[in-house]
Amino acid sequence: MVRCALTAVVLCSALAAGCSDRPKLAKVKGTVTLDGKPLPFGTVTFEAKGYRSATGKIVNGEITNVTTYDPGDGAPVASHRVAVTANAEPGPAVVANPGEGKAPKADYMSGKSLIPSGYNDPTTSGLTADIVAGENSVEFKLSSAGPKK
């Protein structure tokens, strides 16, 4: 009796371990440029309807470490709308000589965007990516004029 119960527990555990509610993911790499020059840093977000968003880092124009659940696991296999953000380092919140009446710069909370704000939202960026099984390479060419409407 104990042996049957133990066998049942092991079998159920094995079946549960094989089941996952996570979608199929695929590796993504690529490039992001602004006016033909590599975007020095930022974040790229892949959004597909019905799936968790995936994000990746932009380092010297290269998309790296695209992650949905675990570091570097990739993006869901699907058609995605894409957003790109890139903000400069925030300015100081403290004025060097407070008695002079100068206020902190407007960017003291978050750095100034290096790209037009239309790229920050997947619904306005105009950027898309079809992620398929296997390795994917994407290229996003941004313009200082902003997304095409």
Side-chain angles (χ1 to χ4, degrees):
M1 185 70 153
V2 172
R3 185 179 290 173
C4 287
L6 183 58
T7 302
V9 168
V10 170
L11 184 58
C12 287
S13 296
L15 289 173
C19 298
S20 175
D21 59 350
R22 291 185 179 184
K24 183 162 179 64
L25 304 177
K27 298 288 184 182
V28 181
K29 62 180 181 175
T31 59
V32 181
T33 57
L34 178 63
D35 299 326
K37 296 178 183 157
L39 193 62
F41 53 85
T43 302
V44 60
T45 303
F46 297 85
E47 291 189 0
K49 190 172 185 172
Y51 295 102
R52 178 184 234 179
S53 296
T55 59
K57 293 180 183 180
I58 301 168
V59 179
N60 297 321
E62 299 291 322
I63 298 171
T64 65
N65 202 32
V66 175
T67 300
T68 300
Y69 297 98
D70 301 314
D73 63 358
V77 172
S79 292
H80 295 260
R81 292 188 298 185
V82 178
V84 175
T85 57
N87 294 327
E89 285 291 319
V94 178
V95 177
N97 296 313
E100 293 180 5
K102 293 182 181 177
K105 291 184 176 182
D107 66 349
Y108 77 94
M109 290 296 283
S110 64
K112 180 182 175 197
S113 181
L114 301 177
I115 61 175
S117 63
Y119 291 118
N120 298 181
D121 183 340
T123 63
T124 61
S125 71
L127 304 172
T128 61
D130 288 324
I131 304 303
V132 297
E135 296 281 326
N136 292 267
S137 184
V138 295
E139 181 179 37
F140 301 114
K141 297 179 180 182
L142 312 184
S143 167
S144 292
K148 294 179 182 177
K149 297 184 180 189

